[in-house]
Amino acid sequence: MQPVRSLPPMTCDQVREIDQVAMNRYQMPSIVLMENAGRGAAEAIQAIVPDGRVVILCGKGNNGGDGFAIARHLQLAGRGVRIFAIANLDELKGDAATQARIAQASGIEIDVPEGTIDSALNSAEVIVDGLLGTGAKPPLRGRYAEWVESANRADATRIALDIPTGLDGDTGEAGEPTFCAHHTLTFAASKVGFAKANAGIHTGDVQVISIGVPLKLLREFAG
Ligand SMILES: NC(=O)C1=CN([C@@H]2O[C@H](COP(=O)(O)OP(=O)(O)OC[C@H]3O[C@@H](n4cnc5c(N)ncnc54)[C@H](OP(=O)(O)O)[C@@H]3O)[C@@H](O)[C@H]2O)[C@H](O)CC1
Ligand SMILES: [K+]
C-alpha cells in the first residue's frame, strides 16, 4: 500500500477531528501539532518569497498561534519579521498563548496596533493572514474586517494560513471582505470549499502543510 501522500479535501469539522484523534488516540500534544504547522508553513513561505520583510497578522485563536510560531522560524532563517496581534496577548488562551509568550521571549517585534495598519503594511514584502482559520464564524467581527481590507490594499505577497480569513472553508463562500491570498498554506488537508466556484480568487494556489500526524491516522481519514 502506497503511503498517503495527501488526503482528499476535507470539511473544517473533519480536519478539527484529525486534531482530536491525534491528541486523544495518538498521544500527540496539541502544541506539537501547532509547532509542526508553524515550522512547515515557515519553510513554505521561505520557498515562495525568499527575501523581504514579513508582517504576520495574528488573530485571537490557534490560527494566530500558528502565526506566532511561524515568526520564530522565519527569524531563525534570518528574515525580518514583525507581528500585528489583534488582541492583547493576555487575552490569548492555550497553545496560542504559549506560542505568543515564546515569540515575545524570542525578542520578536509584536504590536497590538490601535489605529489603522495601512501605513505599517507598506514596509511589508509579505503579509501573512493568521487571523481566522477553521474556528471562524462569519461575518467578521470587530477589527478583523478592517485588517483584511488593509491587507488587500497593500502592495505585498499575501499568504493565508489554513483558510483565507472571511472565506467559508466548507462552502467556499467569500464574505465581504475576504483576504485575497496569492498563496494559501492549509494544514493537514485541503478544504472542500477551496474547490467551489470563485474560491480560487481568495485562496490563490493552495499548498497542504503536514502537521506531523502519523501515517496510520492519515490512512484512517483517507477513505
Ligand atoms: N489539525 C489542524 O489543522 C491544526 C490547526 N491548527 C490551527 O488552528 C486553527 C483553528 O484554531 P481555533 O482557535 O479553533 O479557531 P480560529 O483561530 O480560526 O478562530 C477562533 C477565534 O476567532 C474568533 N472568531 C471566530 N469567528 C470570528 C469572526 N467572524 N470575527 C471575529 N472573531 C471571530 C473566536 O472568538 P469567539 O468570540 O467566537 O470565541 C476565537 O477567538 C486552524 O485554522 C489552524 O490554523 C493548529 O495550529 C494545529 C493543528
Ligand atoms: K487565516
Side-chain angles (χ1 to χ4, degrees), residues 58-65 86-88 91-93 96 130-132 144:
C58 289
K60 230 174 96 180
N62 286 341
N63 196 240
I86 207 158
N88 289 310
E91 294 174 58
L92 305 185
K93 298 190 291 292
L131 291 171
L132 293 176
Y144 284 79

Side-chain angles (χ1 to χ4, degrees), residues 15-16 18-19 30 33-34 37 60-64 66 93 131-142 144 161-163 187-188 191 211:
V15 172
R16 295 171 79 86
I18 285 183
D19 250 9
S30 56
L33 302 176
M34 183 177 282
K60 230 174 96 180
N62 286 341
N63 196 240
D66 293 344
K93 298 190 291 292
L131 291 171
L132 293 176
T134 58
K137 300 175 201 70
L140 295 185
R141 281 179 264 126
Y144 284 79
L161 297 181
D162 210 18
I163 301 171
F187 301 118
K191 307 305 184 277
I211 56 171

